[in-house]
Amino acid sequence: MINVLWAGTERNWSLFEPDLKAGFQRAGLDVDLRTAFADPAQVDYLIFSPDGPLSDLSAFENVKLVQSTWAGVEAIVTNKTLTQPLARMVDHGLSEGMRDYVVGNVMRHHLNTDRFATAKPGEWLSDLCPPLARDTTVGFLGLGALGLACANTIAYLGFNTLGWSRREKSVATFQCLHGDAGLQQVLKQADIVVTLLPLTTDTENLLNADALSKMKRGASIINPGRGPLIDDDALISALKSGQISQATLDVFRTEPLPADHPYWQMPNVLVTPHVAADTRAKTASQVVVENIRRSEAGDPVLYLVDRTSGY
């Protein structure tokens, strides 16, 4: 018998439970899946989210793997009681959701449809001829699973696409850049910048006043990655001056975003409530089941987190 503890939220338990149980059965795994075990030493696997009821992991001395239900792990790797191997959530449901959000908002910025949405009654803005995709450069900061899914789709749609990552990568569908020189090139050339980086000490405030000043005047930003990737004060200043024309922001340092935050009052900012890529039970459960199956079979576990890099 494999003892698996659900250490996520009560709401998500009701969504995940049937898919997890069905998945374990299909995989031929004899699993006792619960929301509580009397003895933590009996638990073999933790299905974990930072917003769940569990914060102290020190008692789970026999746990073989902590499987996160979140794509981002910055709120977990900083937990000093975490000594067990940790796997992040990478699944096609997350990738598809993020792709849809990014593509929809890239097109919104590219076509400048907000101008029509906010036009006065009877205002016929026929002089605003939309550009062609090939005339717009979209830069992606972050080329992990989510970044690649989005960038490949944007490139397929005909946009001039640039990608940047800390380490060198090669992708057939668009130009990849890396390192500080590569970052400066993306900032300089992109009309739209999409941030999909993990949050680490190296990426926090990556888009600060200096970086924003190096972007094209009138460029726009889409951030569905992590709130602290952006220096909020610097972005607000850049939005007011016109250095940045508009921003679509889905993630924030404090969530929910406080009602008195300046972003709410800015006509060139669209705030969305962290909905770009939610974990979907049906697809995420498949990843959980597969990783437990792999661990039990002695096979390499998918998406293990490198504690040194933080992702």
Side-chain angles (χ1 to χ4, degrees):
M1 178 70 69
I2 305 166
N3 293 330
V4 179
L5 175 65
W6 172 265
T9 63
E10 183 177 348
R11 172 186 175 275
N12 280 339
W13 167 245
S14 65
L15 298 174
F16 271 79
E17 182 188 13
D19 287 315
L20 285 169
K21 287 184 174 179
F24 288 135
Q25 185 174 18
R26 285 193 300 270
L29 298 174
D30 187 12
V31 170
D32 185 2
L33 175 66
R34 304 188 199 174
T35 57
F37 284 86
D39 182 4
Q42 293 180 326
V43 178
D44 299 304
Y45 297 92
L46 281 174
I47 306 173
F48 184 85
S49 65
D51 59 347
L54 187 62
S55 58
D56 187 351
L57 308 181
S58 56
F60 296 90
E61 55 191 36
N62 295 317
V63 162
K64 303 172 189 177
L65 179 69
V66 176
Q67 172 64 63
S68 174
T69 61
W70 289 14
V73 293
E74 67 274 3
I76 309 174
V77 294
T78 54
N79 186 328
K80 294 181 179 179
T81 69
L82 175 70
T83 58
Q84 307 88 342
L86 170 68
R88 59 194 175 93
M89 177 56 62
V90 178
D91 84 284
H92 62 84
L94 274 170
S95 296
E96 290 172 21
M98 183 63 79
R99 177 203 64 195
D100 293 351
Y101 180 93
V102 168
V103 170
N105 283 292
V106 164
M107 294 301 295
R108 202 183 108 248
H109 286 229
H110 165 66
L111 297 173
N112 200 14
T113 52
D114 286 7
R115 285 287 305 276
F116 302 108
T118 58
K120 298 176 183 177
E123 189 176 13
W124 193 254
L125 301 175
S126 58
D127 59 319
L128 298 179
C129 180
L132 297 175
R134 68 183 183 217
D135 297 325
T136 295
T137 297
V138 184
F140 285 86
L141 305 184
L143 295 175
L146 298 179
L148 282 173
C150 297
N152 277 324
T153 303
I154 289 297
Y156 174 79
L157 291 173
F159 288 90
N160 182 32
T161 306
L162 299 175
W164 179 84
S165 57
R166 289 178 58 201
R167 302 182 182 92
E168 186 175 3
K169 289 191 176 182
S170 179
V171 179
T173 48
F174 58 87
Q175 183 182 3
C176 294
L177 302 158
H178 68 284
D180 186 63
L183 177 61
Q184 303 309 314
Q185 187 173 339
V186 173
L187 294 176
K188 183 179 179 180
Q189 295 183 15
D191 300 293
I192 302 169
V193 169
V194 182
T195 54
L196 283 167
L197 289 158
L199 178 60
T200 68
T201 54
D202 293 322
T203 62
E204 186 171 3
N205 289 324
L206 185 72
L207 290 185
N208 54 24
D210 180 62
L212 295 171
S213 71
K214 293 175 179 175
M215 291 176 61
K216 282 184 177 181
R217 183 167 180 81
S220 61
I221 292 171
I222 300 171
N223 183 22
R226 292 289 177 264
L229 298 175
I230 295 176
D231 180 329
D232 291 319
D233 290 339
L235 178 57
I236 289 167
S237 178
L239 285 162
K240 288 180 177 178
S241 72
Q243 170 62 17
I244 301 300
S245 64
Q246 58 180 325
T248 297
L249 308 174
D250 186 60
V251 285
F252 307 91
R253 293 174 187 271
T254 301
E255 294 184 2
L257 185 68
D260 61 351
H261 197 285
Y263 284 145
W264 289 113
Q265 306 303 321
M266 303 187 75
N268 52 350
V269 174
L270 174 66
V271 171
T272 59
H274 204 144
V275 294
D278 201 4
T279 301
R280 290 164 169 80
K282 187 171 292 296
T283 53
S285 293
Q286 296 169 11
V287 178
V288 175
V289 170
E290 175 60 13
N291 260 352
I292 292 176
R293 185 202 67 76
R294 282 171 170 262
S295 178
E296 289 297 299
D299 295 331
V301 171
L302 300 172
Y303 319 124
L304 276 176
V305 172
D306 180 347
R307 305 291 177 84
T308 302
S309 64
Y311 56 90

